[in-house]
Amino acid sequence: MLKKRIIPCLDVKDGRVVKGINFVNLRDAGNPVEQAKFYNDSGADEICFLDIVATIENKQTIIDVIKKTANEVFIPLTVGGGIRNTDDIRNILLAGADKVSINTAAIQNPDFVYHASKRFGNQCIIVAVDVKKVSKDNWEVYSHGGKKPTGLNAFEWIDKIEELGAGELLITSIDNDGTKKGFDNEFLSKITKKVNIPVIASGGAGKLNDFEDAISIGGASAVLAASVFHFGELKISEVKKYLVDKNIPIRI
């Protein structure tokens, strides 16, 4: 059985790590390169950077952060935010990232997923899907950092991006993000039962058992968290020991 992964996520704005609740009310959480090195040394399986400003002016900032981080960490690095074309992907991979995460650009042009996976290999292409529950058994996809409703049915959209060649899905519950009330395991379980690619659970980590539930109930291949790690509420080693004690395959 493939081992489950624990991934700290660093939301980067203007060269600093920030964290909020429900995608707003951001507060500073440190230097991204220092944070990434700390997580590398603490046993993280991967690290995810999300550039939450992602303006043209900010692109060089995140490239510089990636280059510095790649010199300090020796685990896979995923970078997302503001990726609009294959040149953006190429520049990020050349800077030292192992994978990219695309979201809004995929919604605006689904063929981008196909062309990116063909050019760089689907192992490099994660499609991030930010969802909000709008009614019973109905989740809607949001774009632009979880701010703009798209009208897309989440199940239909996920079917499409898997078909187009996405190598992995990063599912974030907008309702649960930053609340520390646990992941949307209802939605995760529906998705993981129907797709054949790995699913990363995001949005809601607060307690040790939230990680267990995302895997055992939600079916996630990996669990991503931010504030509980950034502010020292949980340690990656603590999470991994807990999961091992629960007989969940994890890399120590």
Side-chain angles (χ1 to χ4, degrees), residues 4-235:
K4 307 300 182 180
R5 293 166 287 148
I6 303 299
I7 306 173
C9 179
L10 292 83
D11 292 338
V12 180
K13 178 182 180 184
D14 300 326
R16 298 289 292 177
V17 178
V18 295
K19 188 55 193 161
I21 298 174
N22 304 126
F23 288 27
V24 296
N25 300 322
L26 302 177
R27 58 176 171 153
D28 189 272
N31 177 291
V33 181
E34 291 174 3
Q35 290 270 37
K37 187 176 187 310
F38 170 78
Y39 289 131
N40 177 88
D41 297 344
S42 299
D45 296 299
E46 298 181 17
I47 291 171
C48 181
F49 278 163
L50 293 181
D51 179 2
I52 64 169
V53 177
T55 60
I56 298 297
E57 295 78 14
N58 202 52
K59 280 212 185 302
Q60 191 54 49
T61 301
I62 196 69
I63 291 292
D64 289 343
V65 168
I66 298 164
K67 287 179 178 177
K68 291 174 184 175
T69 302
N71 288 327
E72 298 287 344
V73 306
F74 305 98
I75 54 178
L77 172 63
T78 296
V79 177
I83 296 171
R84 296 177 177 86
N85 51 54
T86 53
D87 285 342
D88 289 339
I89 296 176
R90 179 176 178 274
N91 291 335
I92 287 169
L93 295 178
L94 286 175
D98 300 280
K99 307 177 191 178
V100 297
S101 172
I102 57 178
N103 187 335
T104 299
I107 293 168
Q108 294 171 336
N109 176 22
D111 284 342
F112 179 35
V113 178
Y114 174 79
H115 292 301
S117 63
K118 286 295 181 185
R119 179 171 174 182
F120 302 103
N122 67 353
Q123 78 284 350
C124 289
I125 307 302
I126 299 173
V127 177
V129 185
D130 299 333
V131 299
K132 182 178 279 194
K133 190 171 186 178
V134 290
S135 62
K136 188 179 185 334
D137 296 325
N138 185 18
W139 283 258
E140 184 177 359
V141 176
Y142 276 60
S143 66
H144 297 83
K147 295 179 178 66
K148 188 177 288 189
T150 64
L152 286 172
N153 175 278
F155 299 107
E156 294 173 4
W157 174 236
I158 286 167
D159 281 343
K160 184 168 188 174
I161 51 185
E162 181 181 23
E163 186 181 314
L164 287 166
E168 201 163 0
L169 297 170
L170 170 56
I171 306 292
T172 301
S173 166
I174 297 171
D175 298 312
N176 294 35
D177 179 71
T179 64
K180 302 179 187 175
K181 295 179 179 177
F183 297 88
D184 186 346
N185 295 312
E186 180 188 5
F187 181 72
L188 285 170
S189 64
K190 291 177 186 293
I191 294 303
T192 56
K193 286 172 183 170
K194 72 192 307 244
V195 301
N196 296 303
I197 55 177
V199 173
I200 305 168
S202 170
K207 306 178 296 300
L208 289 169
N209 67 288
D210 293 334
F211 290 83
E212 178 191 6
D213 290 348
I215 295 167
S216 60
I217 299 173
S221 300
V223 185
L224 179 148
S227 57
V228 291
F229 293 144
H230 299 340
F231 301 115
E233 295 161 43
L234 292 174
K235 295 178 181 177

